[in-house]
Amino acid sequence: MPTLAEVLFPQSLPNPAALEAQYPPRSLPEGARVTRFAPSPTGFLHLGSLYTAYVNFLTAHSTGGVFFLRIEDTDKKREVAGGVASLLESLAAFGIVPDEGGVAGGAYAPYTQSARREIYQAFAKDLVERGLAYPCFCTEDELTALRDAQETADVPQKGYWGQWARCRDLSAQDAIARVQAGDAWVLRLRADGDAEKRIVFTDEVRGKIEMPENILDTVLLKRDGVPTYHFAHAVDDHLMRTTHVIRSEEWLASVPLHLALMRVCGFRAPKYAHISALMKSEDGAKRKLSKRKDPEAAVSWFSAQGYPADAVLEYLMTLISSAFEDWRRVHPTEPRSAFPFTLKKMSASGALFDAVKLADVSKGVIALVSGADLAQQVRHWAGAHDTALAALLDKHPDRLAQILAIDRDGAKKPRKDIARYGEVLGYVSYFFDELFVPALPLPEGISPADASEILGAYDYDADEDKDAWFARIRALALSLGYAASPKEYKDNPAQWRGHVGAVSSVIRAAITGRSNTPDLWAICRVLGATTVLSRLQKALVSLNT
Ligand code: GLU
C-alpha cells in the first residue's frame, strides 16, 4: 500500500538529504553575509524595492559576502513579459549587479522559483512523511463558511487552525481515498504553536521582538503544486544559504510562521531584518510612497528625469543611515562603499522621501563629475529621453564638455547648480546661437542708459587671460564712476554710482542673456570672439533703439 506522501507525490523527487549535499553551506570568511533580492518579475521597480536591494547589496559587500538575485515567479498572474530582463537592466543601471542569479548563474541554481518545483515538493513530501504537513480538501465555499462561523463565534484568531481545521485530523486512509478520487488539495502545515506562548527573536533593524507563536495551518503548496511565498522562502533561503533575510516590513508579521517552518524542516533560521516602507509627506501627514499615486515611486521616473543613478544611490544612502551625511562631509570624494554601513544603525521608522533633498544631493554628486564625463552622461541620457538635445549635442561635438568644464574641472568648490540631466539644456542654451534668446536683465540701480554707456565703452579682447580681462573691466568701471570692488563701494557709497559687479553684470547679460552664470571669462572663451563681439554689439544696438 502506498503511503499518503507517496500518493500525494507519486513523481520521482530528489531526496532532501541529497539536496542538502548538492547545496552545501558556503565556505565564506567569518562574518561574511549572504543576502538576496527576491522580486517578482512584474517589470516594475519600486523605489522602495531599489532601497531594499541596495541594503542587501551593501550588507553582503561590506562583509565580503554574496548578494544574489532570486526571481519569485510563483504568482504567474503578476508576471510581465520581459519583466526579468528589464529588472536586471534597471538594477544594473544602479550598479546593483548580483554575484549570483540573473545572468550570473551560480552554484545554488536554479535562482528562479518556477524552476525549483521539485525541490519544494521534495521537502513537502518529507514533511508529510513525518506527519508535519497534510492535504486539505476544503473548497472555497467551505473556507468561506468556516470564516463565517468564526465571525459568529467571535473567535479571536481567524483562519485554519485547531478544531477549525477540518482536514487536519483526516485519517491517512481517508485522505488517500480523496486524492485517488481526484479531489483537489492544498498542502498545509500542521502547526504546533501555542497561542498563549510567545516567540522572541531579534530583528537586525528593529531589535528584540516578541510575537505570539504561529498556530495557523498555513498553506505550503497550492492546488497546482506551486509553493506559497512562506514555504518557498524557507526552502530557498535555507538551500541558498542566505544568512540575512532583509526584506520589507510587510513580512514582519510572518516571522513566527517562518521560524516554525524552518524548525519543522530542520533548517537553521537566518537572521531577519525588516525595512520600513519609504514614506511621503502629504498635507502634513505621512503615507507610504504609492505606485498608484506617486510617479516617483517608479525607479524609471528618476532615469527619465535625468537623475544620475549615482545621485539616487547617494540619496538613498542618506535615508539608509542617518550617519551618512556627517561621514560624507568629512569624506567628500570617497566612494560610498567606504562608508561603514551597518544594518543595526538603520532607522526602524519609515524614511521620508523628499524630492528637494534628492535634488540637493544630486547637485552635490553632479558637481564632482568632470565636464567631459558629465557631457557624455548627458548625451547618453538625451539619446533615450530628449532627442532634440541629442541632435544639438551631435551638431556641436565637444561643446558641452567645454561648457560643463567651466567652474567644475579643477575648481576647489565646483558649482552645485545642476540636479538632473534634464536641466542641462536650459542651463547651457545660451551657448548655442540657435537657442540663445537675447535679453538684458539689468542689475539694481542700472538704467538702460547706464548699460548703454557701459557696453559702448567695453572692448572684449579674446587674447587676454582672466586677470587681464578682469583688470580691463575694473578699469572701465572706475573710468565710469563705479567702485573697483564691493568693499570700496560699501566704505563710501555716496561717492560711487555702484561697483564693478554692476558693470560686469551688464556685460554678462549682453553676452548670455542672463544675470547668473558660471565664470564669464571662461564662457567667452567657449563662445569665441566673433560671437561675443556680435552679442555685445547687438545688445548695444537694442539699448539705443
Ligand atoms: N517576492 C517577495 C516580494 O517581492 C520577496 C520578499 C522577500 O524579500 O523575501 O515581496
Side-chain angles (χ1 to χ4, degrees), residues 36 38-40 72 229 246-247 250-251:
R36 83 297 190 273
S40 301
E72 305 215 323
Y229 167 77
I246 305 167
R247 59 187 178 186
E250 71 188 280
W251 300 111

Side-chain angles (χ1 to χ4, degrees), residues 351-478:
L352 204 58
F353 173 80
D354 175 353
V356 175
K357 181 73 186 284
L358 165 69
D360 209 47
V361 168
S362 190
K363 284 178 181 170
V365 167
I366 290 182
L368 296 178
V369 181
S370 74
D373 286 353
L374 183 55
Q376 214 169 44
Q377 292 172 15
V378 172
R379 173 62 188 83
H380 182 77
W381 174 83
H385 300 284
D386 188 341
T387 44
L389 175 59
L392 178 77
L393 299 180
D394 291 345
K395 193 167 142 207
H396 306 273
D398 303 333
R399 166 126 318 188
L400 186 63
Q402 290 168 356
I403 298 170
L404 294 175
I406 299 172
D407 286 355
R408 174 182 307 274
D409 290 5
K412 265 210 209 77
K413 278 200 156 187
R415 286 171 79 90
K416 295 186 180 176
D417 43 10
I418 301 174
R420 309 182 282 115
Y421 302 138
E423 289 172 2
V424 168
L425 182 59
Y427 183 66
V428 304
S429 60
Y430 61 88
F431 281 91
F432 300 90
D433 276 336
E434 53 271 62
L435 297 178
F436 173 64
V437 182
L440 260 181
L442 295 181
E444 224 184 283
I446 298 290
S447 69
D450 298 332
S452 165
E453 187 186 17
I454 290 168
L455 293 180
Y458 178 61
D459 236 347
Y460 173 70
D461 180 346
D463 292 333
E464 281 169 349
D465 67 11
K466 189 166 171 182
D467 289 340
W469 171 84
F470 194 61
R472 181 192 288 269
I473 294 180
R474 209 185 285 114
L476 169 68
L478 275 175

Side-chain angles (χ1 to χ4, degrees), residues 281-410:
S281 140
E282 192 178 62
D283 306 327
K286 263 175 140 192
R287 64 165 175 78
K288 279 190 191 164
L289 194 60
S290 136
K291 175 175 168 181
R292 212 164 34 79
K293 293 192 206 149
D294 308 313
E296 66 271 37
V299 166
S300 54
W301 182 83
F302 296 88
S303 327
Q305 291 285 308
Y307 284 104
D310 199 32
V312 175
L313 290 185
E314 180 89 1
Y315 172 65
L316 289 182
M317 194 63 138
T318 67
L319 301 182
I320 289 171
S321 171
S322 57
F324 178 68
E325 283 179 85
D326 284 341
W327 179 88
R328 180 48 94 206
R329 265 186 284 280
V330 183
H331 306 93
T333 56
E334 290 271 310
R336 268 185 307 283
S337 54
F339 172 67
F341 162 81
T342 89
L343 272 180
K344 292 215 158 61
K345 293 238 172 82
M346 269 188 85
S347 151
S349 64
L352 204 58
F353 173 80
D354 175 353
V356 175
K357 181 73 186 284
L358 165 69
D360 209 47
V361 168
S362 190
K363 284 178 181 170
V365 167
I366 290 182
L368 296 178
V369 181
S370 74
D373 286 353
L374 183 55
Q376 214 169 44
Q377 292 172 15
V378 172
R379 173 62 188 83
H380 182 77
W381 174 83
H385 300 284
D386 188 341
T387 44
L389 175 59
L392 178 77
L393 299 180
D394 291 345
K395 193 167 142 207
H396 306 273
D398 303 333
R399 166 126 318 188
L400 186 63
Q402 290 168 356
I403 298 170
L404 294 175
I406 299 172
D407 286 355
R408 174 182 307 274
D409 290 5

Side-chain angles (χ1 to χ4, degrees), residues 228-246:
T228 53
Y229 167 77
H230 309 294
F231 190 49
H233 152 58
V235 171
D236 290 345
D237 282 316
H238 168 67
L239 285 186
M240 294 177 174
R241 309 294 170 174
T242 308
T243 64
H244 288 65
V245 169
I246 305 167

Side-chain angles (χ1 to χ4, degrees), residues 475-499:
L476 169 68
L478 275 175
S479 75
L480 297 177
Y482 298 85
S485 72
K487 184 179 177 307
E488 280 165 62
Y489 172 73
K490 257 204 210 119
D491 287 348
N492 200 349
Q495 190 189 322
W496 306 103
R497 294 170 76 181
H499 65 73

